[in-house]
Amino acid sequence: MHGPAGTDSHWRDGPWQKAGQRLTAHRPAAAGLTVLAALMLAVAAGLVAGGGPVGAALAAGHQSLTFALFAGLGGAALGLLWAATAVALGERAERAMMTPATALTGLPLALALPLAGGLLGPERGLAPMAVVTALIAAPAVAVVARDELRALLRREFLSAAQAAGIANGRRLRRHILPNAVLPLAAAAWTALPRALMAESLASLLGLGLPEGVTGWGTAIGAAARAGDAVALAGPALLLALTLWALHGVGDGMRLAFSTTGGHR
Amino acid sequence: MSGSEERTPLRVEGLSLLTSRDILLDRLSFAVEPGEVLALSGDAGAGKTLLLRALASLAPKGITVLGDIHIRGRRILVTQDGALDPLRPLGAQFTELLAHQSGMDERTALRRAAEALERFQVPAAARRLALHPHELGEAMRWRAALALAMAAEPALLLADAPAAALDPTQRVRLLSDLAAWTREAGTALLLAGRPQPDPIQADPVHSGLADRRLILAQGRLEAPEEEPTPAPPPVEPAPSGPPILSVRDLRVAFPLGRSWRGEERWLTVVDGLSIELAEGETLALLGETGSGKSVLARAILRLVPPVGGQVSWLGTDLAAAPPEAMRRARRDLQILFPDPLAALDPLMTIGAQLAETLESLRPTRSPADRAARMAEALEEVGLPTAVLDLHPGSLRPAEAARAGLARALLPEPRLLVCDEPAATLDGAERADFLALLQAIRRRRRLALLYATQDAAEGLRMARRGLVLLLGRIVESADSAVLAAGARHPYSRALVAAAGLVRPALHGDPPSPLRPPTGCALRLRCPLAHDGCAQVPPSLDPVAPGHRVACHVAQDEAQDGAQSGGKAP
């Protein structure tokens, strides 16, 4: 028999390291991660230093990113819960739960946020807006997460674990959950750009973040109404850059982690 | 230069392919004459695809081609995936190629296309020209791809592992048709890949599929050595004693939801099967894809829930067994999966997975004893103990297959169920693994259930064979009987395909969703008569220990018995 595959220094690398290497090997993902890290630092620095159009744009980024992060995480959690419940409850319940999710992903849900903003009126709080954003982001996450879970449950090593007499609870803890982490993270990530996009669109129309909270969308809207090109450029560029980076990382995660859509 | 050399479609002299670091192919010289079929084999990664691409002037970037390639006339490369343009119907692809190559007008080109498809026994060929590639089955797509290539009348056809994903029965038929056509048309055919499912027994030259065979190994071409015919396996005494495993009327079906009339629809995969297996007995399950052999193997281990029937292990009905009895049964019943790498959890080390199996099935063992067992099992399958610290991702397929075998042997099973255990292995690695499996089985006196599409391999591994068709047994006999004189046309086709002889079955397998009435084989069977459509044949004995479910074979056996036992 031959020795263990390869003698290069990577042969002992675990599967997690390999997944990380696959992610950073995807160029847009690597660039996206760098851009996101730089933006975080810049936004933090802008909060401290402040001043000028750049400082204002960075300060607005703080509000936008915080909102998108919380609403996106909420949407991701909701979507994952949706998918996991559907898969756990058996075939009939799964069909009943996933059909509406699939139908919702086909609708222009982003328009629901300005609608909610209008209905809630100018006195609207941050929390209801975040909840609506999470609801907007959830169906797409649920659809992808369901596909990933189904693909995972069909994988052969679970049959092998069953043949080894491993009880269902232990199979879930030891085999299913660890293997679900990365594909589900890739599914959940899509909620972040979706939340940022929906919030920025609503804020641009003045129907997003409540009065007194200035996000990138709000800043772009105000600058456009004032006809101030210099004030418009900063937030618009930062928003575009952030969305690009988020999508780049999302694509990379899908290619590197997914068992259904990725090329592996 | 003599006249015959002028006509040689392909002559290669001193061809080397180099990257900046390695020599991939080293000074190859060979020629293919008109009408000659040259089979080129070699292990995975030997450079077969690369050589073909280089011959088609499609060598990848960064590869230096040295030496001379003389090609006379038109050459066509059919790539591994048999690629057709997915967006255009077949007819348009034929007309485009033929107009470009021979300046043919559309009517002539379409007629030529239909004729080309008919050469591959495509029924209603002219109508299929309106279809897109995705509307064709895999087998039909391959016929179309090869017909497209041959319609252009090349002087040299380079076929890279054609139809490798098809069942042997269909693949061998397709390749025989292709070889017959190239010989007739005087086209030189270079057939790469492994047309032989089994490197030891089936030789494409002996069976007449190819005229010559070359082996690519370590970048060089070698003429095949005269392999000594493997010694026939020692005849083992038929195991006696009560059956340890008994399967009665097992039915496995999957719900497909309701039809528009509200009827429940089921896909029946295993249809009322009964098997008995004695201690130390070996049984091969043979059949094409979709015959239900793999689902049967899993249903026996209760990895797939059956909808009816009974599986008993040592007299215990597994369906009704309490968890503790089930655990004891799992200890005795172990399985090898078709893709051993996929059967290992990618996030756990091999050691952790072996330990988990042992802990679950032999919970009374002490940790020290467990470690010793694991080391023993690895040694038995020929893996170093360093493998215990590796994740499956760093194993090669042959190592993964051995790790899977080690895991199955750990709980000291009495029956090993194998579902195409060597499907991911090629060439020498495959032969080594099967020899190891056979040796371990003998040493441990394991009972073996061996499911495979390759009849030759199955019959060599097991003493008795069962042939499955759409979830039913169609023939059951001793391996030697099946290999030499199978009665059912389907079994004969499987055995012929394993020997690379053109199997006598028409068309493609029927859809399991709409099986034909009567005998499931009748639409493809060369012997079928009207009676076959009426009643499904039952499995009846035609000789001691030999049962067949075929009207024709049963009639013949009866006639033979009446006329004094001269069965054909």
Side-chain angles (χ1 to χ4, degrees), chain A residues 1-6 11-16 18 91-92 95 155-167 170 174-176 178-180, chain B residues 298 301-303 330 334-335 337-339 342-348 356-357 359-361 382-384 386 389-391 393-394 396 398-399 402 407:
Chain A
M1 202 58 208
H2 317 267
W11 66 276
R12 235 169 224 283
D13 278 0
W16 299 96
K18 281 195 180 152
E91 211 159 310
R92 189 165 292 199
R95 214 171 309 142
R155 286 175 70 182
E156 194 99 288
F157 64 83
L158 294 177
S159 299
Q162 199 182 348
I166 293 162
R170 192 179 158 87
R174 294 288 305 266
H175 297 286
I176 299 179
N179 279 289
Chain B
R298 280 153 207 248
L301 279 95
R302 296 200 66 77
L303 301 179
R330 289 220 181 279
Q334 281 293 312
I335 181 168
F337 290 94
D339 183 354
L344 293 165
D345 187 332
L347 297 184
M348 286 167 85
E356 189 180 38
T357 306
E359 209 172 296
S360 151
L361 294 177
L383 284 178
D389 297 329
L390 294 183
H391 285 92
S394 29
R396 294 182 311 108
E399 292 164 339
R402 281 161 197 254
R407 174 169 64 179

Side-chain angles (χ1 to χ4, degrees), chain A residues 24-240:
Chain A
T24 44
H26 184 67
R27 260 192 215 158
L33 282 173
T34 319
V35 166
L36 284 181
L39 265 173
M40 295 288 176
L41 284 178
V43 166
L47 279 182
V48 178
V54 179
L58 288 174
H62 175 68
Q63 314 285 358
S64 266
L65 287 178
T66 312
F67 182 87
L69 181 67
F70 280 105
L73 285 181
L78 202 60
L80 294 183
L81 193 68
W82 192 336
T85 318
V87 170
L89 286 182
E91 211 159 310
R92 189 165 292 199
E94 183 179 329
R95 214 171 309 142
M97 286 177 74
M98 293 318 293
T99 312
T102 316
L104 282 173
T105 49
L107 297 178
L109 281 184
L111 295 181
L113 191 62
L115 182 69
L119 289 176
L120 290 169
E123 298 299 304
R124 60 189 178 264
L126 262 181
M129 292 305 284
V131 169
V132 176
T133 314
L135 286 174
I136 287 171
V141 175
V143 170
V144 180
R146 194 273 305 251
D147 291 349
E148 292 291 351
L149 284 175
R150 275 278 147 230
L152 173 61
L153 290 179
R154 272 198 300 272
R155 286 175 70 182
E156 194 99 288
F157 64 83
L158 294 177
S159 299
Q162 199 182 348
I166 293 162
N168 282 341
R170 192 179 158 87
R171 215 150 57 102
L172 181 70
R173 279 198 317 279
R174 294 288 305 266
H175 297 286
I176 299 179
L177 288 182
N179 279 289
V181 168
L182 288 181
L184 290 188
W189 184 269
T190 56
L192 294 178
R194 213 173 281 270
L196 181 60
M197 189 69 215
E199 176 269 315
S200 301
L201 174 69
S203 302
L204 180 78
L205 301 173
L207 296 168
L209 295 177
E211 307 264 330
V213 186
T214 313
W216 278 329
T218 328
I220 295 171
R225 278 188 288 279
D228 183 351
V230 179
L232 183 106
L237 280 177
L238 285 176
L239 177 62

